[in-house]
Amino acid sequence: MPSFSHFFQILNETKGVFLKAMLLTLELTVVSIILGIVIGLVFALLKISKIKILELISDIYVYLVRGTPLIVQIFILYFGISGIFLLPDFWAASIALALHNGAYISEILRGAIQSVDKGQFEAGRSLGMTKTLTLRRIILPQAFRRALPPLGNQFIISLKDSSLAAFISMNELFNVATTLGSNNFDEMTYLLIVAVYYLLLVALMTLIVNRVELRLAVSDR
């Protein structure tokens, strides 16, 4: 184990390169979360559509994504698609993370949508709203409020999963830590340092989710 003085010395000396890697990790996470929410919402709506073929498409997607490791999905996108066209490491990781998150988000949103009282939908229809308008203005806002806590957990999982982008040589936090540790024959120090950066990002994301939950709770009063 490194001494405290050595740890803080390396922490200070490497803050520039780690902050750059942290911003890339954060960018990767945010992009994959935004894409994942869109994908998840689409497949959640397919699942509750009551159209057999659309439900089947959603089931197959969720099964394939949840049944295979994320690292395999990243490799398929990065190495497999590269045989057709060049896909940059950032977008290979972002799309793989988005597809992976989308499967879990779709189940979260499906449950949240179905938890909204059916009378809400009927009330919207009685006011002359179309099914789409009722869904957009009445059902989905309530569903997103209910889904926020599990979505927050999924976002944190996505942040930690972004470390797998290191395996396609993307210079995010984990890759920088392992590279510097290997070059300086001091892996433990750099792994402890990268753990600090991940904890800071998780704390930031938790704070944001909690603030959003609080604001939504206040707006419901």
Side-chain angles (χ1 to χ4, degrees), residues 20-141:
K20 183 178 179 180
M22 184 173 70
L23 289 175
L24 183 58
T25 296
L26 192 57
E27 183 181 356
L28 171 63
T29 304
V30 170
V31 170
S32 65
I33 285 173
I34 292 172
L35 293 176
I37 290 174
V38 174
I39 294 169
L41 179 58
V42 169
F43 281 95
L45 294 176
L46 292 183
K47 180 63 178 177
I48 64 173
S49 65
K50 297 183 179 179
I51 300 174
K52 293 297 184 182
I53 185 63
L54 298 183
E55 290 182 21
L56 180 61
I57 291 172
S58 180
D59 287 339
I60 291 173
Y61 161 69
V62 171
Y63 175 77
L64 289 176
V65 171
R66 294 172 67 174
T68 55
L70 175 56
I71 188 63
V72 173
Q73 297 163 20
I74 293 174
F75 275 22
I76 287 174
L77 280 170
Y78 186 67
F79 295 108
I81 294 181
S82 293
I84 304 172
F85 62 89
L86 184 62
L87 188 64
D89 54 5
F90 177 85
W91 286 108
S94 294
I95 295 171
L97 280 168
L99 290 171
H100 189 79
N101 288 327
Y104 292 91
I105 291 173
S106 71
E107 289 297 287
I108 292 171
L109 293 179
R110 177 190 61 78
I113 292 170
Q114 291 180 330
S115 72
V116 177
D117 194 298
K118 292 182 179 180
Q120 299 282 332
F121 188 83
E122 294 170 359
R125 296 290 287 153
S126 67
L127 292 173
M129 294 184 181
T130 63
K131 290 183 178 179
T132 302
L133 191 60
T134 302
L135 188 67
R136 182 164 60 87
R137 290 191 176 180
I138 298 177
I139 307 300
L140 287 182

Side-chain angles (χ1 to χ4, degrees), residues 159-211:
L159 169 64
K160 293 185 288 185
D161 283 346
S162 68
S163 61
L164 293 175
F167 291 95
I168 56 173
S169 302
M170 185 175 168
N171 287 323
E172 46 69 63
L173 278 171
F174 184 68
N175 191 23
V176 168
T178 53
T179 300
L180 289 175
S182 178
N183 291 342
N184 293 282
F185 303 100
D186 192 10
E187 287 86 357
M188 182 58 69
T189 299
Y190 288 95
L191 288 174
L192 289 174
I193 289 172
V194 80
V196 170
Y197 282 98
Y198 276 116
L199 287 171
L200 288 173
L201 286 176
V202 168
L204 174 63
M205 190 168 289
T206 302
L207 178 63
I208 292 172
V209 171
N210 289 342
R211 286 291 181 88

